[in-house]
Amino acid sequence: MNSEGLQGIGPRLAAAREAKGLATAEVAAKLRLGVRQIEALEADAYEQLPGEVFVRGFIRNYAKLLELDPDALLPSQEVAVSEQLTVPSTNVRFQPSPIQRWLVLPVGSAILVFALVALLYAWLSSGDQAAVEQPAPEMAAAPHGSQIVAPEPVILDPAQPAPGGAEPAAETQVPATTAAAEQPGAAVPANTPSVIDASKPVLPPLPPVAAKPVPEPVKPAPPAASAVPAPATGPRPAAAPVAPANPAPTPTLTPAPTPAASRGLVFQPMEDSWVQVVDAKGQRFSKLLRAGSTETLEGTPPFRLVIGNAASMKLSHNGKPVDLKPFIGEKVARLKLGEEGASRLNPPPLGSKPADGAGQ
Amino acid sequence: MFGLLRGYFSTDLAIDLGTANTLIYVRGRGIVLDEPSVVAIRHEGPSGKKTIQAVGIEAKQMLGRTPGNIQAIRPMKDGVIADFNVTEQMLKYFIKKVHDTRLFHPSPRIIICVPSGATQVERRAIRESALGAGARQVYLIEEPMAAAIGSGLPVAEATGSMVVDIGGGTTEVGVTSLGGLVYSTSVRVGGDKFDEAIINYIRRNYGMLIGETTAEAIKKEMGSAFPGSEVREMEVKGRNLAEGIPRSFTITSNEILEALTEPLNTIVSAVKSALEQTPPELGADIAEKGMVLTGGGALLRDIDRLLMEETGLPVIVAEEPLSCVVRGSGRALEEMDRLSTVFTND
């Protein structure tokens, strides 16, 4: 505080006060100041007072009280303004990056859109994962398991299974045969660490049957189908390329001894309904089927099906009509459809009930 | 590009756009303009075209004395814009006046004061009118903050300071600490309301009608806020309402004090409520140092005594109270480039 100019004013004020016969306490009460402050003023001890503006104001008020002329008393002075306007601070910046304000909106929305797309993709592919998680051990055992996830939108056309199917077939046969040689129940889980627990219950019933997988597919008869569990289908892809498919909607093909000819799924929706099919090799098909149309699909069984508006859907597999009623949740049916029959999908992870056979 | 060029030839301004007076501070030069916020507009002929007849002091002399085709307008009312177009014209005139160059239209950066109680719409209006008057960029500063800076209060320190700015249209009460406003309030009572109260009092008690200019002269001559030892008298001329004839009569300072009681009470209660709302730690600082009065209202005789008696705190009248706000804004202008906390955002 620049109080040099104010030196000497205090004693003059004190003298004027005494001439008027006033006590310090009286003056303090009239000026609404503390006695301590009045004493400091009179002693020129300005450092004990708040600041120059206030000191000058106090002196002015005091002088007015004592009927002195404050302007004569106070040195004229450049009118003070605050010396400092902001809190002194070190140069630590709260926001070091000088992001342009106009950039925030476009960049922010771009990030948001990107995040949404990523989320959507993650959700879709997790849907794939769920569909693939359960595929029977033979799929998981194959080194191509990872390819299943690849979102190949290729429709399960008849040509596709041929080259693709041959390979996994060769390999998948290995676990099948080894399973036949030794304890398959133990061998299969060992080969398939990635298969989730839910798939395990499928295995136990197999061992005895797994030994004779080859004749299996040949029998289309319902009782046989229910008897044969999933892993038995292992060798089947091998057979698939042999018969280059018959895409026609052929319900009459049922008794055909060659499994290849009757691998078709035929959808006949009465109303518009959405269908998603994932076959054993992970090939995916999804489409909104229009009412009255007929859609035929071929692929490697077992299939995982999600059928919307299932009540109005007529489905036949290998020529045999499939009863969807037991699988319909809220309008949507989820089921796994193998050679041996249909079973419930997801919600109870594996109902372990093979449900009704396809032929019923 | 062209704007940049024009900006180069323009000086930055701080403007106290007050209800009664407009003051302009030019960066590096100080206060260069102090004129009443009055505009006289002439309506020309049958085309109805309007032209500016006079602005500032000249226009103020016309107030209440204009013929039919001239209109003397005070475009600001209660601290905010009442007539947008006229305000814009007035600002344009003042901005041109403080710029020497004739080559370019001035396009300065402007800091302009707004009452702390102004609504968003009112702030926007002030900003827009400054932009319309040619400003390149407009910053708003709240009046209590500007007044505190201009009166030399230690605004940046961690200590509470209280400022009461009694302007023409509004009274602003603010408590500052650490470079910002802790509390601020604004009541729409100021010099104009004092004049109005005097006019009403004289009409009621004397049956005489006086004009605003006369009322202002009475206020300046013998207005006081606290009963003093001496009683003054003044002869006033006005129109007798009953007779319809101009008459003169004598009025005393005690009567004026009585007339001013109501608006003064509003100010006192605003100060008291500000003290109530102030955090106790800052209240203690204020009790130690007192409050500072600025603005034209601080020149009303014994208004510091009144506040002292009513609050029991020391009250100081700032030096040169009329220019505190513009000096504070000017100070903010000088440091505009490294200062952001004292400006308001909306």
Side-chain angles (χ1 to χ4, degrees):
Chain A
M1 175 172 60
N2 174 26
S3 57
E4 281 167 22
L6 302 175
Q7 294 299 327
I9 295 175
R12 282 164 72 187
L13 288 171
R17 172 178 62 78
E18 278 157 18
K20 286 217 161 221
L22 290 167
T24 336
E26 282 177 79
V27 175
K30 284 196 171 163
L31 293 179
R32 312 285 164 178
L33 292 170
V35 174
R36 180 183 54 79
Q37 285 174 305
I38 296 293
E39 280 165 359
L41 266 180
E42 292 185 352
D44 281 347
Y46 300 119
E47 61 286 343
Q48 296 173 24
L49 293 166
E52 191 172 1
V53 179
F54 297 101
V55 169
R56 288 177 70 92
F58 292 161
I59 291 174
R60 202 173 277 273
N61 285 354
Y62 197 173
K64 256 189 345 194
L65 180 76
L66 299 173
E67 291 165 0
L68 297 173
D69 180 11
D71 294 322
L73 208 60
L74 284 167
S76 69
Q77 177 210 29
E78 283 272 302
V79 181
V81 288
S82 308
E83 281 164 21
Q84 200 183 0
L85 299 189
T86 45
V87 187
S89 67
T90 48
N91 272 336
V92 183
R93 291 254 166 161
F94 189 66
Q95 297 172 291
S97 61
I99 295 176
Q100 299 290 328
R101 195 160 270 203
W102 61 270
L103 264 177
V104 171
L105 192 71
V107 169
S109 50
I111 289 172
L112 199 72
V113 167
F114 183 77
L116 277 176
V117 169
L119 210 70
L120 197 70
Y121 177 77
W123 180 70
L124 280 178
S125 55
S126 78
D128 268 2
Q129 202 77 46
V132 177
E133 262 162 5
Q134 286 167 5
E138 82 265 282
M139 279 318 293
H144 295 263
S146 59
Q147 285 175 352
I148 293 165
V149 195
E152 275 179 53
V154 186
I155 295 176
L156 318 179
D157 63 26
Q160 195 59 21
E167 225 176 28
E171 279 152 11
T172 47
Q173 267 174 337
V174 178
T177 45
T178 49
E182 43 187 79
Q183 235 307 341
V188 175
N191 285 343
T192 62
S194 65
V195 174
I196 57 159
D197 293 351
S199 65
K200 280 178 187 168
V202 189
L203 306 176
L206 323 181
V209 206
K212 40 162 189 172
V214 184
E216 194 51 50
V218 187
K219 292 188 207 164
S226 61
V228 182
T233 55
R236 257 181 242 159
V242 180
N246 188 354
T250 52
T252 49
L253 279 180
T254 5
T258 45
S262 53
R263 203 128 286 168
L265 281 172
V266 182
F267 295 96
Q268 287 175 302
M270 315 298 280
E271 290 171 31
D272 289 0
S273 82
W274 184 84
V275 167
Q276 174 181 300
V277 182
V278 180
D279 82 342
K281 291 190 322 204
Q283 294 190 342
R284 241 166 132 254
F285 167 85
S286 60
K287 190 179 178 184
L288 181 70
L289 302 180
R290 294 288 164 196
S293 65
T294 302
E295 190 74 30
T296 308
L297 294 174
E298 297 255 339
T300 318
F303 302 100
R304 321 212 147 252
L305 302 168
V306 179
I307 302 170
N309 206 0
S312 65
M313 174 65 76
K314 272 190 198 167
L315 170 66
S316 55
H317 177 224
N318 292 351
K320 290 169 286 186
V322 180
D323 184 11
L324 292 174
K325 267 180 206 137
F327 310 110
I328 298 178
E330 274 183 58
K331 296 187 81 175
V332 178
R334 294 165 192 278
L335 64 153
K336 174 180 167 186
L337 195 58
E339 207 72 11
E340 65 289 340
S343 62
R344 195 177 281 272
L345 251 185
N346 292 342
L350 261 186
S352 72
K353 287 179 209 161
D356 353 22
Q360 283 176 347
Chain B
M1 176 61 207
F2 192 59
L4 207 73
L5 202 66
R6 286 201 302 168
Y8 184 77
F9 286 101
S10 306
T11 35
D12 296 342
L13 308 176
I15 301 180
D16 172 12
L17 186 60
T19 314
N21 295 295
T22 297
L23 290 87
I24 298 186
Y25 178 105
V26 175
R27 190 173 200 163
R29 279 165 56 196
I31 301 169
V32 296
L33 183 135
D34 177 3
E35 295 210 36
S37 310
V38 186
V39 181
I41 292 174
R42 192 175 62 228
H43 300 265
E44 278 182 20
S47 60
K49 197 181 146 200
K50 289 183 193 173
T51 51
I52 306 271
Q53 172 81 22
V55 180
I57 297 167
E58 284 175 60
K60 193 180 180 184
Q61 286 165 354
M62 298 181 187
L63 263 184
R65 297 190 169 95
T66 52
N69 64 331
I70 296 178
Q71 207 185 351
I73 300 174
R74 298 180 60 187
M76 305 289 292
K77 194 167 188 294
D78 295 338
V80 295
I81 291 176
D83 189 324
F84 189 84
N85 291 326
V86 175
T87 305
E88 196 176 304
Q89 293 306 318
M90 184 177 79
L91 271 179
K92 203 180 263 180
Y93 173 87
F94 286 147
I95 289 170
K96 223 172 174 179
K97 200 172 175 184
V98 300
H99 277 85
D100 297 327
T101 173
R102 290 271 168 271
L103 202 59
F104 293 102
H105 266 290
S107 172
R109 289 192 293 177
I110 292 181
I111 292 181
I112 200 159
C113 304
V114 288
S116 61
T119 62
Q120 284 215 328
V121 177
E122 291 160 345
R123 283 163 200 240
R124 177 72 64 89
I126 287 174
R127 185 190 286 276
E128 299 274 320
S129 73
L131 288 171
R136 184 161 89 250
Q137 226 170 347
V138 179
Y139 300 85
L140 299 182
I141 183 170
E142 297 206 356
E143 269 167 30
M145 193 67 206
I149 296 170
S151 57
L153 296 182
V155 287
E157 287 171 25
T159 171
S161 310
M162 185 167 187
V163 66
V164 180
D165 175 47
I166 306 168
T170 60
T171 293
E172 311 276 329
V173 184
V175 177
T176 64
S177 176
L178 289 171
L181 277 172
V182 178
Y183 176 82
S184 69
T185 184
S186 168
V187 287
R188 301 203 163 181
V189 173
D192 288 352
K193 280 283 180 341
F194 295 160
D195 298 347
E196 216 173 277
I198 290 172
I199 292 171
N200 289 339
Y201 180 86
I202 288 174
R203 186 174 54 203
R204 204 166 50 235
N205 294 335
Y206 286 86
M208 301 284 284
L209 206 58
I210 58 168
E212 279 176 35
T213 317
T214 311
E216 196 183 344
I218 295 171
K219 177 183 71 179
K220 283 182 177 169
E221 176 68 25
M222 52 183 218
S224 76
F226 200 75
S229 48
E230 53 167 344
V231 176
R232 298 172 180 219
E233 286 191 350
M234 184 179 175
E235 195 181 276
V236 179
K237 294 182 181 68
R239 191 183 74 198
N240 189 303
L241 279 170
E243 300 173 35
I245 295 167
R247 296 262 179 240
S248 92
F249 59 100
T250 308
I251 187 164
T252 65
S253 59
N254 279 347
E255 287 171 301
I256 300 303
L257 174 66
E258 194 186 329
L260 295 179
T261 308
E262 198 191 319
L264 286 172
N265 279 342
T266 314
I267 291 173
V268 167
S269 57
V271 171
K272 280 183 174 171
S273 82
L275 287 168
E276 269 173 35
Q277 306 285 328
T278 304
E281 208 63 57
L282 299 178
D285 294 338
I286 293 166
E288 168 89 8
K289 299 186 298 187
M291 68 189 82
V292 174
L293 299 186
T294 68
L299 295 173
L300 187 68
R301 189 169 299 108
D302 284 337
I303 192 162
D304 51 339
R305 279 286 299 284
L306 173 74
L307 284 168
M308 224 187 266
E309 296 297 329
E310 291 284 343
T311 61
L313 299 176
V315 177
I316 293 166
V317 177
E319 297 183 31
E320 298 197 23
L322 278 170
S323 62
C324 274
V325 170
V326 77
R327 271 186 284 129
S329 315
R331 184 65 212 285
L333 178 75
E334 300 283 357
E335 305 197 16
M336 182 158 65
D337 296 326
R338 61 168 201 82
L339 203 75
S340 54
T341 54
V342 299
F343 300 117
T344 65
N345 294 323
D346 38 16

